[in-house]
Amino acid sequence: MLIEIDSSSGFCFGVTTAINKAEEELAKGSTLYCLGDIVHNGMECERLREMGLITIDHAQFAELHNAKVLLRAHGEPPETYKIAEQNNIEIIDATCPVVLQLQKRIKKQFTANPDAQIVIFGKNGHAEVLGLVGQTRQRAIVIEHADEVTRLDFTHDIYLYSQTTKSLDEFHAIIDYIQAHMAEGANFQWFDTICRQVANRMPNICSFATKHDLILFVSGRKSSNGKVLYNACKEQNPHTYLVEGPDEIDPKWISNVNSIGICGATSTPKWLMEQVADRIKNNYNIEKK
């Protein structure tokens, strides 16, 4: 039997950069806070906590003074930077460059036409989306699913953007619907702001899922990207199971399979996928590719 780890799975560039910055600061021995979980993976957060990283929420951040705080790859709204300046907080900004560019585009569009509908295809409450909505003084409209597009006013201008990790297919379905319903005289523009490093994982991981009898998808259950990719794997291979770590492997899954594929989200560390593979290899005498 064979076990293979998907070479395209694991941290995206933005997450890798954020974690590297955290490790560099912690290596200096100074106290470092992180505003929110640095990545939506509990085991990686625990690893960094053991190194000294202190995770705080926004309420705690507002009460903090004279400290050093890392902003994760998801980005933050303008209000966060104002509080940091007022409280003498040194910001270690690890906002993903793709997210940062998107924030700037939305802010520029809002400034130019504040009465237009700025629409963001994304998950309500997600850290990245909160940062994007913050560029519009909380006036942007968030659409989580394509069927919510009916909420829009098609007689007024619409500017459509997307959270960087959303589904490209669903984004285009939203575009098609808006284009078909816009009233005469109203302007509609859309901007493909989905990160290609993330979007390209969908076809890659779907192909990978078909190559093995069993797929173990390693991801934190809070990961938005993880949910999307896991469901895609499940559609291609019904023998796909989500695990947060090696302790969640059910021995019943392993019986009567000739090959096992291990893959994960953009928030899944390579070392964790390796741990899952090693657990199977050591317990079930399977060759690791």
Side-chain angles (χ1 to χ4, degrees):
M1 286 192 286
L2 175 71
I3 180 167
E4 179 183 8
I5 297 175
D6 175 32
S7 60
S8 68
S9 289
F11 289 156
C12 63
F13 169 79
V15 172
T16 298
T17 301
I19 288 174
N20 287 343
K21 285 190 175 185
E23 291 175 335
E24 289 171 7
E25 290 298 325
L26 291 169
K28 298 175 183 177
S30 57
T31 301
L32 179 65
Y33 297 90
C34 182
L35 185 52
D37 290 338
I38 191 169
V39 63
H40 289 149
N41 185 278
M43 296 185 74
E44 179 66 6
C45 288
E46 177 61 21
R47 183 185 74 85
L48 291 168
R49 188 194 67 78
E50 291 176 354
M51 293 178 63
L53 186 65
I54 303 169
T55 301
I56 58 174
D57 59 26
H58 283 81
Q60 292 168 314
F61 176 76
E63 298 298 321
L64 203 62
H65 292 78
N66 308 313
K68 187 181 292 187
V69 177
L70 182 138
L71 302 186
R72 55 197 176 165
H74 302 89
E76 285 291 323
E79 181 64 23
T80 297
Y81 294 89
K82 291 179 183 177
I83 292 172
E85 186 176 0
Q86 292 167 0
N87 293 4
N88 193 34
I89 294 172
E90 180 184 347
I91 292 294
I92 308 298
D93 201 337
T95 302
C96 172
V98 178
V99 174
L100 190 60
Q101 183 62 26
L102 175 53
Q103 288 183 347
K104 291 177 179 177
R105 291 178 68 174
I106 289 176
K107 183 176 182 179
K108 183 178 180 181
Q109 183 60 63
F110 176 74
T111 302
N113 190 356
D115 294 326
Q117 296 171 96
I118 292 182
V119 181
I120 298 168
F121 171 44
K123 182 180 178 182
N124 269 304
H126 188 280
E128 180 187 327
V129 174
L130 293 174
L132 300 178
V133 173
Q135 310 304 317
T136 68
R137 299 178 195 163
Q138 316 304 319
R139 289 167 62 179
I141 301 168
V142 178
I143 288 178
E144 286 203 26
H145 305 288
D147 57 7
E148 295 178 16
V149 72
T150 55
R151 295 164 38 204
L152 302 180
D153 181 352
F154 301 107
T155 66
H156 286 76
D157 293 351
I158 295 174
Y159 297 92
L160 176 66
Y161 300 84
S162 175
Q163 179 182 340
T164 59
T165 54
K166 292 296 283 182
S167 162
L168 196 57
D169 289 342
E170 197 169 5
F171 183 59
H172 282 286
I174 291 171
I175 293 168
D176 292 343
Y177 187 94
I178 295 175
Q179 286 178 330
H181 291 79
M182 288 300 293
E184 186 176 349
N187 180 44
F188 171 50
Q189 293 184 43
W190 60 272
F191 308 91
D192 185 348
T193 54
I194 294 173
C195 175
R196 282 304 179 269
Q197 189 184 17
V198 175
N200 289 341
R201 294 202 180 185
M202 183 68 79
N204 290 341
I205 212 163
C206 287
S207 175
F208 180 79
T210 64
K211 296 177 181 177
H212 298 281
D213 300 327
L214 171 71
I215 295 294
L216 295 180
F217 189 88
V218 186
S219 172
R221 288 183 170 82
K222 291 197 295 183
S223 170
S224 178
N225 168 255
K227 290 175 184 175
V228 171
L229 293 178
Y230 165 70
N231 288 329
C233 281
K234 190 80 172 176
E235 286 182 11
Q236 298 297 320
N237 186 337
H239 301 292
T240 296
Y241 301 94
L242 188 147
V243 296
E244 290 200 334
D247 292 341
E248 295 187 2
I249 299 170
D250 188 335
K252 295 177 183 176
W253 301 338
I254 310 299
S255 60
N256 301 318
V257 297
N258 293 317
S259 66
I260 300 171
I262 296 175
C263 51
T266 56
S267 55
T268 304
K270 286 283 188 184
W271 63 262
L272 186 53
M273 288 184 283
E274 290 281 357
Q275 278 192 0
V276 171
D278 288 340
R279 176 69 63 87
I280 299 170
K281 178 185 175 184
N282 295 335
N283 289 359
Y284 304 99
N285 194 30
I286 298 176
E287 178 189 355
K288 182 179 168 185
K289 181 176 179 181

